[in-house]
Amino acid sequence: MSRRSGTDGSLLASLPWTLLALAFSLLPHVPFLPIWITVAFIVCAGGRWLVELRRWRLPPAWMRIALSLACFIGVLASYEAVSGVGPGSALLAIMAALKLMETRQRRDQFVLLFISIFLVMAALLREQHLWSLLYLFIALLITMTAWLQMATRENRRLSDSFRTSARLMLYSAPLMLAMWVFFPRIATPFWAVPIDTSAGTTGLSDTMSPGDISSLSASDALAFRVQFADAVPPPRDRYWRGLVLHRFNGRSWTGLEATPDWGARKRIEYLGEPVAYTVTLEPTGQQWVFALDIPYEVTLERTFMGPQQQMARAQPIDQRIAYAAVSYPRYRVEHAAGRLPRSWYLHLPENSNPRTLQLARELREQAGNDQDFIDEVLRRFHEQEYFYTLQPPALGRDAVDEFLFESRRGFCEHYASAFAVMMRAAGVPSRVVLGYQGGEWNPLGNHLTVRQSDAHAWTEVWLEQRGWVRVDPTAAVAPERIEDGMSGAMINGSGASWGLNAPAMWLHNLTLTWDILNAQWNDWVLGYGPDKQFSFMEWLGMDEPDWQQMVLTLIGVVMFLVALISLLLIRRYRPPATDTAAQLYARFVRKVGVQPARGETPLEYAARLKDSDTADPQAVDDVTALYLQSRYSSKGDSALPQLATAVNNYRNGR
Amino acid sequence: MSSIPWPFPEALSPRHLRERLSARVLRWARKRQGLDPHTTTLTSRRIYILPTAIGLIFALTAFAMLLGSMNYNNNLSFVLTFMLVALGFVAMHQCQRNLVGLDVSFAGVEPVHATRPLEFRIAVHNRSKNRRYNVQVYDGRIVSDIRDIPAGESRVFRLEYPTRQRGRMAVPRFGIRSNFPFEMFRAWSWVHMDLEALVWPAQASDVPPPPAALTATGHRQHDARGEEDFAGLRGYSDGDSPRHVAWKAYARSGELLSKQFAGADTSSQWFDFDTLDSTDTERRLSILTRWVVDAELLQRDYGLRLPGHEFPPAHGDAQRQACLRALALFDEKRGS
């Protein structure tokens, strides 16, 4: 082997773009990756650049192998797995960093660019915001420019590569769109792969402890969107029922697992007018399906109603789903108390919250009946010094006692919890319902946006003859919270200590527009599944579209577009037409069947033809004279018809 | 790179099969296209295109990504996947278009002495308003530089063929190709121009001195300068006077030669095939070649006598060309 020399600097022109493409593809992964991987990549990329710049040598093979092993073990240690988006992108980043250390020639750069494309794909699996599309195109543009820069042999200008790749992508865009629209979507995946949805996805959990919901309230993340078929219910009726909690351990509430109860619906009496609407629910990773209190029907497949009138799906909701539902805002639930397991709803742990229990019993004594007792408790919340705040002080073991008698500052879960405990202490069956309350009406998009900050807890008490009745103790403390929704409470709220300023009007409108864009995005781009595709095909005029038809359409449209692109390119690359005289003369030459020699003038050529036996000297002279006249005379165009006739009439032979 | 020997008959080796296949394709293309004039415009009919290894890897990648997108039911990764597929389609058409409409013409070749590389020049002219990228002219393993051709401009590509023996060197065809834009496809076109070049015999390095001032024509010249008369050149040997070294010839050929001087009387020289001592025809031809070149360097009249040919004494480019041509093509049926 010859002595290994340093790099020759031949990659200087293309390497920066390759590095840029890799860095840009890696960027969205950085918040999710262990910091050492990002650092390793930056060190390797910077190092590689220096190596090229200074014509240093690349590290020897043993060092690269050792580094690879170390990094692989590092990823294993960080993730304890090698499949899935997280470890997958970590491995890709490591591969890119290590590959850089052995990149000598253009072929190695191809590998890097493929890695870059895979990193972009992994980023899309992770997050699919509206801006992800922009990111996708920019990342692809950089990668393709790097590719062209690498494939370059001459010292081509950078802007040239950039323009070319932009132009090629522009041509590709309609083709991509056609394939995207017509490529048949299937409902179920081939094999289950764990997806880690964006870390920090917020949502209601199965338990409620003090402070749970208030942490949610700081989240601006979308929970779901609703479109109503007809009239929109007023804010105070917008209770989105989620799960029901009935077990209390003195501090936190828990409920039943999501289990079907086929009799649950029979115990409801639906009154008044139904409300029909469609919910587009963001993935929660849980089974709970949110519906307006109280749901009559939900069109989501494999969805059932539980024994406490909560809706749940047989499997966790890992993808954004849309479902139509019908609810009745006026209802009576289990008002004929036959099978109500009272012990469930009256149980309180022993030796906890003694002061609350005592107070509840005293108040019940004074009140004439259950309804009066409820009113009295609500009045206390309303009239006494209770504050609605998102930053309540931490509570100890007897959370309810501390809240009621000491801190007196709390959020919906504090009030719901305290209220339910007091009800139970006085012998009134009670339970806590978790869900969302309110939502922001978007008049531009005609939909209701419900965010995580709208998460809410309220209570239901069971009253003789009336069944379960919804009581929202938070309404007694901060009625704006219920009337105007969360943002209203934040802006005007009596106890709102959280420093949110009233947003300027234009900002508000901007937010609304952004919200609409996102809604459309979710609906039409991310949610373009089998159903949407079928309805779109039907809209296009296909009766009962099936996938064969779709594939045929796909092929047809793609072929049409490819032909169009080809035509476009043909036009671009067509050499300018030669003049008519030259074309006619070329025809004459073809007829004669003798090529003019290189550098031979028409007159010389004519002389040569006349010397040979094949050509008619007179005709040759005529054609040549007319050609010269039409080509070089100032009134040349007038000779063209004659030239055409002469060429047409020309025959070989004397 | 070392390789494991092929364990089966050579006729079945991949390389052999590939060569046979490409020979077949070449014959087919020639039959289909016929002989091209010395300026040929590449039309789309005669441009062939196939994916490269990188193109195949790219296709596989796109397919893997399609499966991934379907599995995750992720509409954005569908966008990425289909964008790549679309880029592939566009690249295919762009690659073909990159050659269409180019004018290819033969831009000449200079005869060389055997063992020197023969350089065929191919001019490619781009009449369109678009730059053409990564264009290369090639013939099997013999390839030119890869160059761009800006709009409205021409580039000359050089194919260097090694030469071993004198005679005619025929290039029945050459190819012109491009892998722009992403090296995913290679488009090429065969051009059959039946180019031909002359390979002169190699110049013998150690030559006997040429016959001095023969008087076969009976024409004598008297020259008063007597011994100053130059008769020819021979290889320098130790002991030769530095005054007699042919510095001009040295500057041109890089070889040290000594001038030889005849007596007072001199005339044009005759280089005669039959009077040479050697029995080896090729050796004789290369000696004659050397003499012709040397005489030409010194601007000296010379005549050449070959069996069946005779070139009366003269000097100048026409004489040189005619003599060297005759030497190159001497007894042409032989071998080649």
Side-chain angles (χ1 to χ4, degrees):
Chain A
M1 284 288 292
S2 61
R3 192 179 66 90
R4 179 167 294 167
S5 57
T7 54
D8 56 1
S10 61
L11 302 182
L12 266 179
S14 52
L15 198 62
W17 278 87
T18 308
L19 291 179
L20 183 65
L22 278 173
F24 197 74
S25 309
L26 194 59
L27 200 60
H29 296 282
V30 169
F32 303 100
L33 291 179
I35 189 71
W36 65 268
I37 290 181
T38 311
V39 170
F41 177 81
I42 292 172
V43 167
C44 285
R48 184 63 187 82
W49 175 237
L50 267 180
V51 163
E52 197 70 23
L53 213 58
R54 299 274 165 83
R55 309 280 196 277
W56 286 339
R57 293 182 204 175
L58 290 171
W62 64 264
M63 196 193 278
R64 294 198 306 262
I65 291 170
L67 263 174
S68 313
L69 269 175
C71 289
F72 188 74
I73 291 169
V75 171
L76 266 184
S78 298
Y79 285 96
E80 297 168 343
V82 285
S83 67
V85 175
S89 44
L91 278 178
L92 280 174
I94 283 300
M95 268 166 66
L98 293 172
K99 184 73 198 170
L100 272 171
M101 286 290 104
E102 59 163 24
T103 294
R104 292 176 183 286
Q105 22 169 333
R106 292 154 9 87
R107 206 181 51 208
D108 301 318
Q109 274 182 293
F110 277 121
V111 178
L112 289 171
L113 293 180
F114 276 117
I115 292 178
S116 165
I117 290 176
F118 274 116
L119 274 171
V120 173
M121 169 127 175
L124 296 177
L125 292 182
R126 233 194 252 282
E127 283 180 309
Q128 306 154 58
H129 300 295
L130 189 49
W131 54 261
S132 302
L133 191 71
L134 191 70
Y135 162 76
L136 188 168
F137 282 116
I138 294 176
L140 207 55
L141 186 62
I142 297 177
T143 306
M144 287 304 167
T145 306
W147 198 319
L148 284 183
Q149 234 4 58
M150 178 190 58
T152 234
R153 304 298 177 99
E154 275 196 9
N155 225 348
R156 200 178 293 152
R157 279 204 314 279
L158 183 65
S159 59
D160 198 27
S161 290
F162 189 74
R163 258 207 313 275
T164 306
S165 62
R167 183 169 58 80
L168 294 178
M169 279 180 66
L170 205 66
Y171 290 166
S172 308
L175 206 54
M176 176 276 288
L177 194 66
M179 287 189 264
W180 190 85
V181 168
F182 290 103
F183 187 82
R185 301 297 201 280
I186 50 167
T188 45
F190 313 128
W191 64 89
V193 189
I195 302 185
D196 45 6
T197 41
S198 354
T201 292
T202 49
L204 293 174
S205 64
D206 285 347
T207 62
M208 184 184 83
S209 309
D212 280 353
I213 295 183
S214 55
S215 70
L216 268 187
S217 296
S219 163
D220 206 24
L222 183 68
F224 51 87
R225 285 197 179 83
V226 193
Q227 280 187 302
F228 292 94
D230 303 309
V232 184
R236 73 180 114 74
D237 279 351
R238 293 180 201 153
Y239 280 89
W240 301 96
R241 191 184 187 86
L243 52 159
V244 179
L245 311 175
H246 68 274
R247 273 192 222 111
F248 181 60
N249 67 0
R251 184 180 159 79
S252 51
W253 292 80
T254 50
L256 286 175
E257 295 290 301
T259 46
D261 179 357
W262 309 119
R265 217 180 291 268
K266 290 184 193 135
R267 299 197 291 274
I268 309 172
E269 191 179 332
Y270 297 97
L271 308 169
E273 292 297 310
V275 178
Y277 53 94
T278 310
V279 178
T280 310
L281 182 64
E282 297 294 306
T284 58
Q286 298 193 3
Q287 292 169 267
W288 308 107
V289 173
F290 297 93
L292 208 56
D293 219 5
I294 199 164
Y296 172 72
E297 193 181 8
V298 171
T299 59
L300 194 61
E301 51 168 9
R302 280 171 289 179
T303 301
F304 51 81
M305 186 176 270
Q308 296 163 327
Q309 293 79 39
Q310 67 273 57
M311 301 298 298
R313 188 165 177 249
Q315 74 231 68
I317 295 156
D318 284 334
Q319 293 182 335
R320 181 178 298 103
I321 48 169
Y323 50 87
V326 175
S327 294
Y328 284 82
R330 294 188 53 222
Y331 57 86
R332 285 202 292 184
V333 179
E334 293 176 17
H335 54 284
R339 297 163 42 230
L340 186 71
R342 289 181 76 95
S343 61
W344 277 21
Y345 299 113
L346 289 172
H347 175 263
L348 284 173
E350 298 195 5
N351 303 325
S352 83
N353 302 311
R355 292 168 73 187
T356 308
L357 302 195
Q358 197 189 342
L359 174 70
R361 283 176 194 134
E362 280 171 16
L363 290 176
R364 179 64 186 88
E365 295 279 307
Q366 292 162 17
N369 54 35
D370 285 352
Q371 185 61 57
D372 288 350
F373 168 61
I374 293 166
D375 290 345
E376 175 56 29
V377 173
L378 290 179
R379 188 156 48 244
R380 282 178 75 91
F381 281 147
H382 186 60
E383 286 171 0
Q384 294 194 2
E385 297 261 296
Y386 286 101
F387 298 106
Y388 180 81
T389 172
L390 285 170
Q391 291 173 312
L395 299 174
R397 199 181 82 82
D398 291 330
V400 179
D401 271 11
E402 285 173 40
F403 164 66
L404 272 184
F405 299 102
E406 284 153 35
S407 74
R408 293 173 170 245
R409 272 155 227 277
F411 196 54
C412 59
E413 74 244 48
H414 298 89
Y415 292 98
S417 177
F419 185 81
V421 169
M422 287 178 81
M423 289 299 119
R424 287 189 175 187
V428 183
S430 65
R431 62 192 186 187
V432 172
V433 184
L434 282 188
Y436 295 86
Q437 203 281 325
E440 188 184 9
W441 179 247
N442 190 327
L444 305 174
N446 263 328
H447 65 248
L448 191 73
T449 306
V450 180
R451 303 181 183 284
Q452 294 301 347
S453 54
D454 293 316
H456 192 51
W458 62 93
T459 55
E460 287 182 328
V461 292
W462 192 84
L463 299 174
E464 206 67 49
Q465 301 306 317
R466 292 174 57 192
W468 287 109
V469 173
R470 179 175 63 221
V471 179
D472 189 349
T474 312
V477 185
E480 329 65 60
R481 167 70 180 83
I482 309 308
E483 288 297 328
D484 302 340
M486 196 57 214
S487 52
M490 289 292 85
I491 296 160
N492 320 312
S494 52
S497 57
W498 225 49
L500 274 182
N501 294 323
M505 205 54 206
W506 65 269
L507 192 63
H508 187 65
N509 276 333
L510 205 67
T511 321
L512 289 181
T513 315
W514 178 242
D515 188 52
I516 295 164
L517 270 178
N518 269 308
Q520 298 295 323
W521 172 253
N522 286 342
D523 240 32
W524 284 105
V525 180
L526 303 185
Y528 189 74
D531 301 338
K532 278 240 162 56
Q533 194 173 31
F534 273 115
S535 53
F536 185 68
M537 296 296 128
E538 273 170 351
W539 182 81
L540 280 183
M542 272 185 224
D543 315 334
E544 300 193 16
D546 55 13
W547 69 268
Q548 280 120 329
Q549 235 175 320
M550 253 186 268
V551 167
L552 285 180
T553 318
L554 172 67
I555 292 171
V557 172
V558 165
M559 275 169 63
F560 174 75
L561 284 173
V562 167
L564 218 65
I565 289 167
S566 180
L567 229 105
L568 198 74
L569 284 170
I570 287 172
R571 276 177 55 97
R572 265 181 80 90
Y573 279 83
R574 179 183 298 154
T578 45
D579 55 331
T580 322
Q583 280 173 357
L584 285 169
Y585 190 69
R587 226 177 112 210
F588 164 68
V589 168
R590 273 202 302 279
K591 275 187 154 181
V592 172
V594 181
Q595 283 287 325
R598 246 165 24 98
E600 199 173 26
T601 66
L603 287 173
E604 285 166 2
Y605 178 61
R608 186 155 66 95
L609 286 183
K610 283 189 285 183
D611 283 349
S612 74
D613 288 340
T614 52
D616 172 8
Q618 186 56 46
V620 169
D621 272 344
D622 284 352
V623 169
T624 307
L626 284 167
Y627 169 64
L628 291 177
Q629 192 188 341
S630 55
R631 195 89 210 265
Y632 301 107
S633 143
S634 57
K635 291 181 200 139
D637 287 350
S638 58
L640 275 177
Q642 285 170 276
L643 177 61
T645 327
V647 171
N648 280 335
N649 294 338
Y650 179 83
R651 296 277 179 279
N652 260 349
R654 288 177 192 271
Chain B
M1 205 174 81
S2 67
S3 62
I4 302 158
W6 179 250
F8 306 109
E10 180 57 26
L12 290 176
S13 77
R15 208 180 112 197
H16 184 83
L17 289 176
R18 201 162 53 232
E19 275 166 10
R20 268 182 45 185
L21 184 71
S22 69
R24 220 164 225 277
V25 168
L26 278 175
R27 273 205 303 279
W28 169 79
R30 177 162 187 136
K31 220 172 131 185
R32 180 170 172 259
Q33 288 171 202
L35 190 61
D36 295 313
H38 274 200
T39 296
T40 302
T41 303
L42 302 182
T43 56
S44 51
R45 272 194 75 240
R46 54 188 292 158
I47 292 174
Y48 310 96
I49 186 162
L50 276 179
T52 60
I54 285 168
L56 293 177
I57 293 170
F58 186 80
L60 267 177
T61 308
F63 185 69
M65 289 173 72
L66 182 66
L67 288 184
S69 308
M70 286 167 81
N71 194 48
Y72 285 105
N73 227 333
N74 184 318
N75 271 321
L76 270 191
S77 59
F78 271 123
V79 169
L80 177 62
T81 307
F82 291 142
M83 198 68 202
L84 292 178
V85 175
L87 273 172
F89 274 117
V90 171
M92 183 170 76
H93 282 81
Q94 172 78 62
C95 185
Q96 188 232 22
R97 279 290 135 194
N98 202 30
L99 290 184
V100 170
L102 287 177
D103 288 333
V104 183
S105 54
F106 174 52
V109 57
E110 302 302 331
V112 294
H113 294 282
T115 69
R116 291 291 181 82
L118 198 54
E119 194 183 78
F120 282 87
R121 293 190 296 277
I122 311 292
V124 183
H125 181 52
N126 173 16
R127 275 185 292 139
S128 72
K129 284 186 228 112
N130 282 83
R131 193 183 176 94
R132 310 300 181 108
Y133 300 90
N134 288 7
V135 178
Q136 187 182 38
V137 172
Y138 71 107
D139 180 8
R141 292 203 191 140
I142 293 154
V143 294
S144 74
D145 289 344
I146 297 174
R147 308 184 67 183
D148 289 0
I149 310 178
E153 292 188 26
S154 300
R155 289 285 180 269
V156 173
F157 295 85
R158 287 154 210 281
L159 288 177
E160 276 196 0
Y161 291 84
T163 56
R164 247 165 283 134
Q165 51 186 353
R166 68 182 180 87
R168 290 178 209 272
M169 170 103 189
V171 175
R173 50 101 232 311
F174 58 87
I176 171 165
R177 68 188 175 195
S178 170
N179 56 12
F180 184 79
F182 299 118
E183 306 197 8
M184 294 182 209
F185 292 92
R186 167 168 290 147
W188 75 96
S189 181
W190 293 116
V191 180
H192 305 279
M193 283 185 182
D194 274 353
L195 306 180
E196 197 181 82
L198 208 55
V199 181
W200 297 323
Q203 300 182 52
S205 51
D206 50 335
V207 284
L214 291 178
T215 56
T217 54
H219 174 76
R220 277 183 97 100
Q221 271 190 340
H222 187 78
D223 194 302
R225 281 177 293 152
E227 68 117 20
E228 293 299 313
D229 267 7
F230 175 74
L233 287 169
R234 61 169 172 76
Y236 177 85
S237 58
D238 291 339
D240 283 353
S241 159
R243 281 190 344 149
H244 288 173
V245 170
W247 293 113
K248 251 190 211 167
Y250 173 69
R252 287 193 209 176
S253 67
E255 277 177 276
L256 264 186
L257 300 170
S258 287
K259 291 179 190 169
Q260 288 209 305
F261 297 93
D265 286 357
T266 184
S267 78
S268 44
Q269 298 162 285
W270 274 101
F271 304 146
D272 192 335
F273 183 82
D274 290 324
T275 59
L276 281 170
D277 294 339
S278 176
T279 51
D280 180 0
T281 310
E282 293 306 313
R283 164 90 183 138
R284 290 199 219 180
L285 290 173
S286 33
I287 292 172
L288 290 171
T289 303
R290 175 63 178 272
W291 282 349
V292 167
V293 171
D294 286 348
E296 198 60 50
L297 279 175
L298 296 159
Q299 309 260 303
R300 178 98 206 163
D301 279 358
Y302 57 89
L304 176 66
R305 201 177 284 131
L306 292 171
H309 290 284
E310 193 174 283
F311 296 91
H315 79 266
D317 201 43
Q319 171 77 349
R320 174 170 164 269
Q321 295 283 350
C323 293
L324 288 176
R325 182 180 173 83
L327 289 166
L329 299 179
F330 177 74
D331 197 10
E332 205 181 353
K333 274 161 281 174
R334 168 206 61 105
S336 71

